[in-house]
Amino acid sequence: MHRRTHRSEARKRLFSCLRRESRAARETAGFSLTELLIVVVIIGILALLALPRFLSVATRAKQTEAKLALRNVHTLQRAHRFEFDRFGEDLAVLGFEQEPTVEAGGTARYLVTIETAEPARYVAVARAVVDFDGDGTFDEWTVDETGQITNRTPD
């Protein structure tokens, strides 16, 4: 009888120990649904905070296209003026080749035109054909005879 008591005591201790380990394992085995939802909400908030910064960087990168095109027009206008003593009125005469715009199946986001051209002054414009931020305002850059590139209408 003493053996049975001893065995039953050993079993009780073993099962008690297993139950404690099982309960501890269940308590630390993973994350609760509430914890996971909190993490998802925090990640969403951080993404919303970073999105405007990313969009402004993307817009500035796209604006580089307009600046480069206008810098090219200015170089061509200076060469035309040295040769003909006046600024050119036509981009084709200057030798400027407009890349096809995204509207026409190309990659250019800006359409470059010469707004005014006089013997001693000119203004060329690069107008966006895409509304970068969806607010209805299209980006517009200009260059003049001094080579000054300005953002006339920011998007």
Side-chain angles (χ1 to χ4, degrees):
M1 185 127 170
H2 182 62
R3 278 189 185 168
R4 277 190 192 165
T5 310
H6 183 59
R7 282 186 189 160
S8 74
E9 286 293 321
R11 281 188 198 145
K12 284 181 186 177
R13 273 188 259 136
L14 177 66
F15 284 128
S16 171
C17 198
L18 287 176
R19 270 190 241 126
R20 266 188 263 133
E21 285 179 17
S22 174
R23 191 177 313 132
R26 269 186 300 197
E27 289 175 1
T28 61
F31 300 106
S32 71
L33 182 60
T34 306
E35 292 169 330
L36 291 174
L37 287 175
I38 289 171
V39 169
V40 168
V41 167
I42 290 172
I43 290 172
I45 290 170
L46 291 175
L48 286 174
L49 292 174
L51 189 64
R53 285 189 179 165
F54 170 73
L55 290 177
S56 70
V57 169
T59 299
R60 283 198 316 264
K62 293 172 185 173
Q63 290 173 340
T64 302
E65 176 189 338
K67 293 176 188 177
L68 289 173
L70 291 175
R71 201 168 289 133
N72 186 17
V73 168
H74 178 67
T75 302
L76 293 169
Q77 282 284 28
R78 284 183 33 208
H80 188 273
R81 183 155 191 239
F82 285 139
E83 189 174 346
F84 299 105
D85 296 325
R86 66 172 286 112
F87 289 113
E89 299 173 2
D90 186 10
L91 290 172
V93 171
L94 294 174
F96 180 81
E97 293 182 21
Q98 172 72 49
E99 291 287 325
T101 62
V102 290
E103 294 173 327
T107 58
R109 293 178 180 89
Y110 287 87
L111 182 63
V112 179
T113 58
I114 296 181
E115 190 172 78
T116 60
E118 300 170 4
R121 72 178 215 91
Y122 80 93
V123 175
V125 180
R127 288 184 183 89
V129 296
V130 177
D131 184 8
F132 298 132
D133 58 5
D135 65 354
T137 304
F138 289 81
D139 206 31
E140 191 172 278
W141 290 80
T142 62
V143 66
D144 61 15
E145 67 279 353
T146 65
Q148 183 70 34
I149 297 174
T150 56
N151 191 342
R152 183 191 285 175
T153 309
D155 184 16

